[in-house]
Amino acid sequence: MARSGHISSYGEELQRRSAWLASPRTLEECLGFALENSYALRLSALQRRLSELDVDASLSSFLPVVSLEGSWTGWRHQQTMKGSPTSDRDYFKGALGVQMPLVAPSTWLLYANRRLSRQAGALTEHLARQGIVSQVTTLYYQALLCQVRIAALESQVAATRSQYERISGMYAEGQVLGWERTDAETQWRSREISLEQAHRDLSLAKGQLLQVMGLSPADEGKFQLVYPEAPREEGTESLESLVLSALTRRPELSQMDRQTVEAENQVRMALVDFLPTVGGFLNGTWTSDDIADRATNLYGGLSAAMDLFSGFSKVTGYRSAKVARQAARLQREEKFLTVILEVMSAHRDVKDAASQRRLAELAYQAKQARYEEYRQRCEEGVEPVYRMLDARAEMDDAYLVFLQTAFVKDIALTNLEMATGTLAPDAARWTLEDQESPMKENLNELLLKEE
């Protein structure tokens, strides 16, 4: 029953959202909708909120602890000692206590680490938004490619069917052989099957895109895409400048910086565990017992605690923290090299996509001219029919490859922006200052030099 109730309520919510699909949507509109409704981004925002609450919780360690106690005591028989009463038969007691840590270095380090975790949460959320932009862009272009392939295949199906009907007429007159007629039918049926597969691919690409955007994949039939007005142009930056931009702007590297500082603070926390913890307290008491000489009283003092021996656990913890610090530094250095490689790979993909686009266009033009030549020569009776059919199949395949390269370059450019860290999905949450130095903070002040 609970499952059916959730299906019903959530189904109504998805149906309400599907009203957004009533009109064709551009890539920019899909990106805006995804950034507001993606479940992955909602979870990322909740994680960031949890990190902010952790900071608030660690801040409370600096505040005094105030306690209030009250009690009522009633005796069946009044307490006496050698015939003299020692307390009233019933009385009230109350106490107000205030305790505050005075010297607790680990508290400061814990608070500093929580602040770093909060900043890392903001970077993680921005990184998730970048990922959504990249994912939506890729899926959008894949769906557009499927639509273009469908249009091309529909034209090819009509052409190969007409060609088959013409060759069938020639076969009836004895002008071609039976296997040539079968070859023409095979081409026609092959294009029909490819068209059916393209429709299924389009349905799947739309469903994946809708799922990322927080919509029901079952509404893919309502989803209409808009072709971009012009292809994106690649920039003129050199590979060196792109690598430098990535090392400056990539959120992951900024996260690694903060993780390194956290590891440093963990070493300090393990070190200060050897020091005593000093605190102060102040208590006020009140009683209604008439036997007491003073109904109200006030007392306070200092307290200190220090472990003299804890089975070498603190020594081991200190050593472990130093190893973890070294691991954090190595992870940052490894990530540094990984970012350089990612930029080089993305830059290569952009160049390759542009080259493949030009090459595919030349190949299609050559196959188109070859087919036209064979078609004319076949009509003149100079060339056999099977050569014309082969030329037609090669031309159709070259055209599909040419269409496939149409959007590959745009996807490669998006991946390059992702690799360099310049992909800014939301100016309201990611300012120009953040782009130049992600979530910048003077880490040198947090990372004290070791003695």
Side-chain angles (χ1 to χ4, degrees):
M1 293 299 294
R3 184 91 295 274
S4 60
H6 175 259
I7 293 174
S8 176
S9 60
Y10 186 60
E12 294 176 356
E13 173 66 15
L14 289 178
Q15 187 176 5
R16 182 186 63 81
R17 293 187 194 174
S18 65
W20 185 79
L21 302 173
S23 58
R25 296 298 180 178
T26 63
L27 174 59
E28 290 72 19
E29 291 175 330
C30 290
L31 290 174
F33 189 89
L35 291 174
E36 294 296 331
N37 297 276
S38 172
Y39 286 96
L41 295 183
R42 294 183 186 180
L43 291 174
S44 179
L46 291 177
Q47 292 296 330
R48 180 180 180 180
R49 178 56 181 161
L50 288 176
S51 65
E52 294 175 350
L53 293 176
D54 287 341
V55 174
D56 296 339
S58 63
L59 183 62
S60 64
S61 301
F62 296 98
L63 303 178
V65 178
V66 180
S67 60
L68 180 64
E69 298 180 5
S71 66
W72 171 83
T73 303
W75 299 95
R76 182 179 181 182
H77 303 287
Q78 188 178 18
Q79 292 292 318
T80 60
M81 180 175 293
K82 294 182 180 181
S84 301
T86 58
S87 68
D88 288 347
R89 187 170 182 176
D90 64 275
Y91 56 89
F92 297 93
K93 281 186 177 181
L96 177 65
V98 180
Q99 296 182 354
M100 184 164 182
L102 300 179
V103 180
S106 60
T107 302
W108 290 95
L109 294 172
L110 178 62
Y111 175 67
N113 277 358
R114 290 295 183 268
R115 288 183 58 194
L116 292 171
S117 298
R118 178 182 61 185
Q119 295 165 7
L123 290 166
T124 301
E125 183 180 3
H126 173 64
L127 188 60
R129 299 177 76 82
Q130 283 186 326
I132 289 296
V133 170
S134 177
Q135 193 174 6
V136 170
T137 301
T138 301
L139 292 174
Y140 193 91
Y141 281 128
Q142 286 180 356
L144 285 179
L145 177 58
C146 290
Q147 289 188 168
V148 172
R149 291 186 70 249
I150 288 174
L153 287 170
E154 287 176 346
S155 176
Q156 292 176 10
V157 166
T160 52
R161 181 176 64 245
S162 176
Q163 184 173 252
Y164 166 71
E165 293 173 352
R166 182 172 61 85
I167 292 178
S168 294
M170 296 172 64
Y171 172 76
E173 297 176 0
Q175 298 180 8
V176 298
L177 299 176
W179 66 268
E180 293 177 321
R181 175 177 176 272
T182 304
D183 195 6
E185 183 180 6
T186 301
Q187 285 195 8
W188 169 35
R189 300 299 183 185
S190 175
R191 295 304 168 188
E192 282 189 334
I193 293 175
S194 298
L195 179 60
E196 294 173 358
Q197 292 175 342
H199 278 290
R200 289 192 289 269
D201 291 341
L202 175 61
S203 177
L204 179 60
K206 285 185 176 181
Q208 291 174 337
L209 179 56
L210 290 174
Q211 186 268 334
V212 173
M213 295 167 56
L215 295 171
S216 172
D219 292 332
E220 52 86 17
K222 306 176 184 178
F223 195 16
Q224 300 180 15
L225 311 178
V226 178
Y227 291 96
E229 297 180 356
R232 298 176 59 187
E233 297 295 333
E234 59 181 302
T236 58
E237 296 89 349
S238 63
L239 178 59
E240 292 75 12
S241 62
L242 292 175
V243 170
L244 180 59
S245 175
L247 297 179
T248 305
R249 300 183 179 183
R250 280 287 290 267
E252 299 96 320
L253 291 177
S254 188
Q255 284 180 320
M256 301 298 289
D257 290 339
R258 282 153 179 78
Q259 291 175 7
T260 302
V261 178
E262 287 185 29
E264 294 283 355
N265 287 338
Q266 289 294 338
V267 174
R268 299 190 185 95
M269 290 177 66
L271 187 61
V272 299
D273 280 343
F274 294 96
L275 303 177
T277 300
V278 180
F281 63 93
L282 179 66
N283 291 334
T285 61
W286 170 84
T287 179
S288 64
D289 192 352
D290 294 336
I291 303 299
D293 291 335
R294 296 183 179 275
T296 60
N297 208 340
L298 185 67
Y299 64 96
L302 298 175
S303 64
M306 180 179 179
D307 292 333
L308 298 180
F309 182 73
S310 56
F312 298 107
S313 62
K314 292 184 178 181
V315 176
T316 304
Y318 175 67
R319 292 174 178 174
S320 300
K322 291 179 65 176
V323 174
R325 177 183 61 185
Q326 184 64 21
R329 290 175 177 176
L330 292 177
Q331 290 173 355
R332 180 174 61 173
E333 293 174 2
E334 182 184 21
K335 186 63 178 180
F336 192 92
L337 299 179
T338 302
V339 167
I340 296 177
L341 181 60
E342 288 177 357
V343 175
M344 294 175 61
S345 178
H347 183 262
R348 183 210 59 184
D349 291 342
V350 171
K351 298 299 182 183
D352 289 348
S355 300
Q356 291 296 329
R357 171 70 173 174
R358 293 190 296 267
L359 182 60
E361 185 176 6
L362 292 174
Y364 170 64
Q365 292 173 355
K367 298 298 182 182
Q368 186 180 32
R370 183 171 180 267
Y371 167 71
E372 292 296 333
E373 180 181 355
Y374 274 100
R375 184 182 61 80
Q376 293 176 5
R377 298 179 67 179
C378 180
E379 292 177 354
E380 295 172 359
V382 179
E383 294 286 350
V385 175
Y386 75 89
R387 289 188 177 177
M388 180 195 69
L389 296 177
D390 291 343
R392 175 58 192 252
E394 293 176 358
M395 182 191 70
D396 291 343
D397 292 338
Y399 183 61
L400 291 178
V401 172
F402 172 66
L403 293 178
Q404 187 174 358
T405 60
F407 302 119
V408 171
K409 184 179 178 181
D410 290 340
I411 297 176
L413 287 172
T414 301
N415 293 335
L416 180 60
E417 291 180 350
M418 186 75 177
T420 56
T422 57
L423 189 63
D426 193 344
R429 294 178 173 85
W430 197 250
T431 65
L432 180 60
E433 185 180 14
D434 292 329
Q435 295 177 36
E436 295 174 351
S437 182
M439 304 301 296
K440 70 176 185 177
E441 180 170 332
N442 189 359
L443 295 179
N444 292 329
E445 295 180 358
L446 296 176
L447 182 56
L448 301 177
K449 295 183 179 180
E450 294 186 352
E451 295 295 337

